[in-house]
């Protein structure tokens, strides 16, 4: 079968190609650029716990990516600390203010070019990914058997693929060739940004300071630590303010540092910029065998929402579905579920940001909608940065077309169906003990048995004892590949609870005991329903036949 064509070699395209390769699917990665990225310390990404784990599973780890996890979050208003939240295992309550929360996972903050460089190195070592630089597509054609694209340039070439994914950014050529509209809002927020090396009073803590008491502070400034003693500073700018000159940005930097430190400390300015944030959402994310992901499908960034983070979730969600289609064929329900799940999740994020903006940026009477006055506003602002609430929490696909109907044998656990599973320690049949997230992304459904006391048994005994033989038979009979894992415990689960987990880590359902018929039915719905696998992609071909698309950009 032909490889998957991935257009665009930014973080999302690279992640998708690596995720496909982890599931045995070859890809051609068409990179419009020369295969290198200009270092920009002021252009950074924040990865949540789940997306950071995804990147590490793909082979990108320190020291290849020197990532820093924040130790805490501090909200300030004028001269006072309003809120402080310790993060991760190294949370530090600090030296004053209100302490609440704790136990929140610490985000990973790093320069985007560092992330891209690490992903490119992993791609270079992956034989199933073919990277082709200086390849800009100008033609896209579909037929019932696949996708054909043409790249222009000195070595103009036609490429044939089974599927195609446009990860080619905000000005996506793929999106234009598919004639997909990209409505939304322009210039939602503007920020002046600086990356500098300095010592600030809160090592390891990210800081959001509203209405700072110095002249050039504006309405809001944030400082977020990076590796190597580097900080990224963001100043919220007026929507239609004057251009920010380099001299004005240096003056703003010096005054902000002096406001925090008492006087301007020694610092090294590494990079500056002005970023304009837009909110846009493509009307369709799938046309036949072609898909959109990342900035080609959505733009966000206001109030701490993270476009790259969501793009990596796009890649993880789509990869296992394309892998199932590539190896076994797939139903229309499975392929359509990518748009149904991911577009709804991103739309919810954008809706929450759009509803919060007038409250937080001067919406008059709307301020009364957020309880607690300034403290409530600061908590809402922190959500997007810390991965909480509607602005930042990991998505839950509760209403997915892949969600099975409620079964009588269903036994609820601490994770709602459709939400990401807890990263508990599990044991595989070969005796290997790992984190549950380490077994994701391999193209298999995970069947987790909660069996307290398993860790002290000899594996030779527990694999043939109790419910394990019956569970093993049930997993072998599933309509798609599955893997048995055993956990000593799981939040909210009783002994002998069986969890069914998707390859991207979202809980399908959970049962009280081993229920082979119910387990099979849930797995069948997860692969796209009773149409199931069709061997050669017959289900996907029907959409291509209904919606053939030939377009050319000159």
């Amino acid at each position: 079968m032909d490889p998957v064509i991935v257009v665009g070699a930014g973080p999302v395209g690279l992640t998708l190609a690596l995720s496909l390769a982890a599931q045995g699917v070859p890809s051609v990665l068409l990179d419009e650029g020369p295969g290198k990225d200009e270092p920009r310390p002021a252009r950074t990404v924040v990865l949540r716990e789940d997306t950071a784990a995804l990147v590490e599973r793909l082979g990108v780890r320190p020291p290849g990516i020197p990532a820093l996890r924040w130790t805490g979050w501090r909200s300030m208003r004028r001269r006072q600390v309003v809120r402080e939240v310790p993060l991760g295992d190294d949370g530090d309550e600090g030296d004053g203010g209100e302490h609440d929360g704790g136990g929140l996972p610490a985000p990973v903050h790093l320069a985007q070019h560092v992330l891209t460089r690490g992903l490119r190195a992993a791609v270079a070592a992956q034989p199933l990914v073919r990277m082709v630089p200086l390849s800009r597509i100008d033609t896209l054609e579909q037929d019932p058997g696949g996708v054909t694209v043409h790249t222009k340039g000195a070595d103009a070439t036609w490429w044939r693929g089974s599927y195609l994914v446009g990860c080619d950014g905000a000005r996506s050529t793929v999106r234009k060739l598919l004639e997909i509209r990209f409505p939304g809002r322009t210039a939602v927020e503007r920020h002046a940004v600086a990356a500098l090396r300095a010592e600030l009073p809160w090592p390891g803590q990210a800081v959001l300071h509203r209405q700072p008491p110095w002249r050039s502070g504006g309405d809001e400034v944030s400082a977020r630590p990076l590796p190597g003693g580097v900080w990224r500073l963001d100043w919220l700018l007026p929507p239609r303010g004057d251009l920010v000159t380099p001299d004005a940005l240096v003056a703003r930097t010096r005054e902000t540092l002096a406001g925090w430190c008492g006087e301007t400390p020694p610092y090294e300015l590494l990079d500056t910029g002005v970023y304009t944030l837009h909110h846009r959402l493509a009307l369709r994310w799938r046309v036949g065998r072609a898909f959109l992901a990342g900035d080609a499908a959505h733009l966000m960034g206001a109030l701490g929402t993270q476009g790259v983070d969501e793009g990596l979730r796009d890649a993880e969600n789509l990869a296992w579905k394309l892998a199932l289609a590539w190896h076994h064929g797939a139903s229309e329900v499975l392929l359509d579920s990518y748009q149904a799940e991911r577009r709804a999740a991103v739309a919810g994020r954008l809706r929450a940001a759009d509803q919060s903006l007038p409250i937080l940026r001067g919406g008059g009477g709307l301020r009364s909608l957020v309880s607690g006055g300034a403290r409530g506003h600061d908590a809402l602002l922190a959500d997007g940065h810390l991965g909480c609430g509607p602005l930042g929490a990991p998505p839950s696909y509760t209403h997915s077309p892949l969600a099975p109907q409620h079964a009588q044998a269903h036994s609820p656990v601490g994770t709602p169906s459709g939400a990401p599973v807890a990263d508990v320690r599990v044991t595989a049949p070969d005796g290997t003990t790992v984190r549950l997230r380490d077994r994701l992304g391999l193209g298999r459904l995970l069947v987790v048995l909660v069996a307290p006391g398993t860790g002290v048994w000899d594996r030779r005994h527990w694999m043939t004892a109790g419910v394990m033989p019956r569970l093993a038979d049930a997993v072998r009979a599933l309509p798609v590949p599955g893997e048995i894992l055993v956990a000593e415990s799981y939040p909210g689960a009783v002994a002998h609870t069986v969890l069914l987990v998707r390859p991207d880590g979202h809980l399908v359902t959970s049962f009280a005991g081993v229920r082979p018929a119910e387990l099979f039915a849930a797995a069948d719905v997860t692969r796209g329903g009773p149409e199931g696998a069709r061997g050669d992609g017959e289900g996907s071909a029907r959409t291509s036949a209904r919606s053939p698309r030939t377009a050319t950009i000159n």
Side-chain angles (χ1 to χ4, degrees):
M1 194 170 180
D2 293 318
V4 174
I5 298 174
V6 179
V7 182
V12 177
L14 293 163
T15 297
L16 177 61
L18 288 168
S19 298
L20 289 170
Q23 298 171 76
V25 178
S27 62
V28 173
L29 189 54
L30 301 179
D31 185 2
E32 183 178 330
K36 298 180 180 179
D37 293 274
E38 177 188 0
R40 288 296 310 274
R43 187 180 187 187
T44 66
V45 297
V46 177
L47 302 181
R48 314 295 185 202
E49 187 180 28
D50 57 331
T51 51
L54 166 63
V55 169
E56 290 191 4
R57 280 199 307 275
L58 297 176
V60 183
R61 299 182 178 87
I65 288 185
L68 176 71
R69 294 183 182 272
W70 303 339
T71 61
W73 171 267
R74 173 183 294 237
S75 295
M76 302 176 66
R77 186 178 177 88
R78 297 188 179 93
R79 298 184 183 277
Q80 298 201 353
V81 175
V82 177
R83 186 168 181 252
E84 242 184 310
V85 181
L87 301 175
D89 295 332
D90 299 322
D92 182 4
E93 289 191 345
D95 53 4
E98 178 182 336
H99 306 285
D100 67 329
L104 287 175
V108 173
H109 188 209
L110 69 165
Q112 182 167 318
H113 71 267
V114 176
L115 172 63
T116 305
R117 187 183 302 157
L119 290 167
R120 285 186 184 275
V123 163
Q126 177 50 256
L128 286 177
V129 182
R130 180 182 178 184
M131 172 85 81
V132 187
L134 301 174
S135 298
R136 179 179 176 82
I137 73 167
D138 58 5
T139 303
L140 189 160
E141 301 175 355
Q142 295 198 57
D143 58 64
V147 183
T148 303
V149 299
H150 179 264
T151 53
K152 62 183 181 180
D155 298 321
T157 308
W158 287 93
W159 301 90
R160 180 68 174 173
S162 53
Y163 298 92
L164 178 142
V165 187
C167 307
D168 49 342
R171 294 181 173 86
S172 170
T173 299
V174 172
R175 189 182 63 240
K176 294 171 184 175
L177 290 171
L178 295 173
E179 299 179 8
I180 297 175
R181 292 181 56 207
F182 198 36
R185 300 175 59 195
T186 300
V188 176
E189 285 190 346
R190 294 171 64 237
H191 291 260
V193 181
L196 53 89
R197 185 174 283 108
E199 290 188 14
L200 296 187
W202 323 281
Q205 281 192 337
V207 178
L208 180 69
H209 197 161
R210 304 187 71 202
Q211 299 180 1
W214 50 88
R215 182 176 58 85
S216 66
D219 287 337
E220 183 179 300
V221 58
S222 64
R224 292 176 289 173
L226 285 157
V230 176
W231 294 80
R232 169 172 163 165
L233 273 59
D234 290 65
W235 294 268
L236 178 66
L237 298 173
R240 295 176 179 83
D242 296 333
L243 292 176
V244 180
T245 66
D247 289 343
L249 212 158
V250 169
R252 187 184 290 258
T253 300
R254 293 179 61 83
E255 189 171 3
T256 298
L257 293 178
W260 283 335
C261 302
E263 61 180 10
T264 303
Y267 72 94
E268 179 185 1
L269 191 60
L270 304 175
D271 188 21
T272 61
V274 175
Y275 294 152
T276 301
L277 304 174
H278 313 285
H279 280 180
R280 295 191 177 275
L281 185 65
L283 290 183
R284 302 179 68 187
W285 290 29
R286 178 194 179 199
V287 176
R289 290 175 173 264
F291 301 80
L292 298 177
D295 284 355
H298 51 76
L299 294 177
M300 62 177 62
L303 305 182
T305 55
Q306 297 292 323
V308 172
D309 200 55
E310 292 299 331
L312 299 188
R313 288 181 175 136
D314 295 344
E316 185 176 32
N317 184 289
L318 183 56
W320 73 269
K321 297 169 183 177
L322 288 181
L324 188 59
W326 198 89
H327 288 296
H328 307 289
S331 72
E332 292 296 286
V333 175
L334 179 69
L335 296 178
D336 283 341
S337 72
Y338 166 66
Q339 173 176 309
E341 292 177 350
R342 290 301 305 146
R343 190 178 186 278
V346 173
R349 197 86 78 208
L350 289 172
R351 191 180 307 113
D354 286 341
Q355 290 173 346
S356 301
L357 277 166
I359 300 171
L360 298 170
R361 303 300 189 221
L366 286 174
R367 289 177 180 270
S368 63
L369 296 177
V370 180
S371 61
R375 292 180 186 272
H377 298 165
D378 288 309
L380 183 59
L381 273 169
D383 282 353
H385 293 276
L386 298 179
C388 305
L391 287 172
S396 179
Y397 306 134
T398 306
H399 302 294
S400 167
L402 306 183
Q405 294 183 350
H406 183 79
Q408 188 173 1
H410 174 72
S411 176
V413 296
T415 301
S417 295
V421 291
D423 190 25
V424 298
R425 188 164 293 280
V426 294
T427 302
D430 64 1
T432 305
T433 301
V434 295
R435 305 299 302 185
L436 180 54
R437 282 204 182 102
D438 294 337
R439 309 303 292 183
L440 300 177
L442 300 176
R444 299 188 290 264
L445 294 178
L446 303 181
V447 180
V448 182
L449 171 67
V450 179
T454 306
V456 299
W457 300 349
D458 189 311
R459 174 184 163 273
R460 292 173 297 177
H461 300 308
W462 63 257
M463 278 300 296
T464 58
V467 300
M468 283 299 293
R470 188 163 178 246
L471 181 60
D473 289 341
V475 171
R476 280 191 292 268
L478 293 180
V480 289
E483 178 183 18
I484 294 179
L485 300 169
V486 180
E488 285 267 357
S489 62
Y490 188 89
V494 298
H496 293 173
T497 297
V498 174
L499 291 77
L500 181 63
V501 182
R502 298 181 356 169
D504 60 354
H506 288 258
L507 179 66
V508 177
T509 188
S510 49
F511 298 110
V514 178
R515 307 275 183 157
E518 289 87 346
L519 190 63
F520 183 97
D524 196 40
V525 172
T526 304
R527 68 166 180 166
E531 290 180 272
R534 296 187 178 275
D536 59 357
E538 177 185 334
S540 301
R542 290 203 305 275
T543 294
S544 299
R546 288 198 305 266
S547 306
R549 180 78 62 177
T550 302
T552 302
I553 285 184
N554 295 319

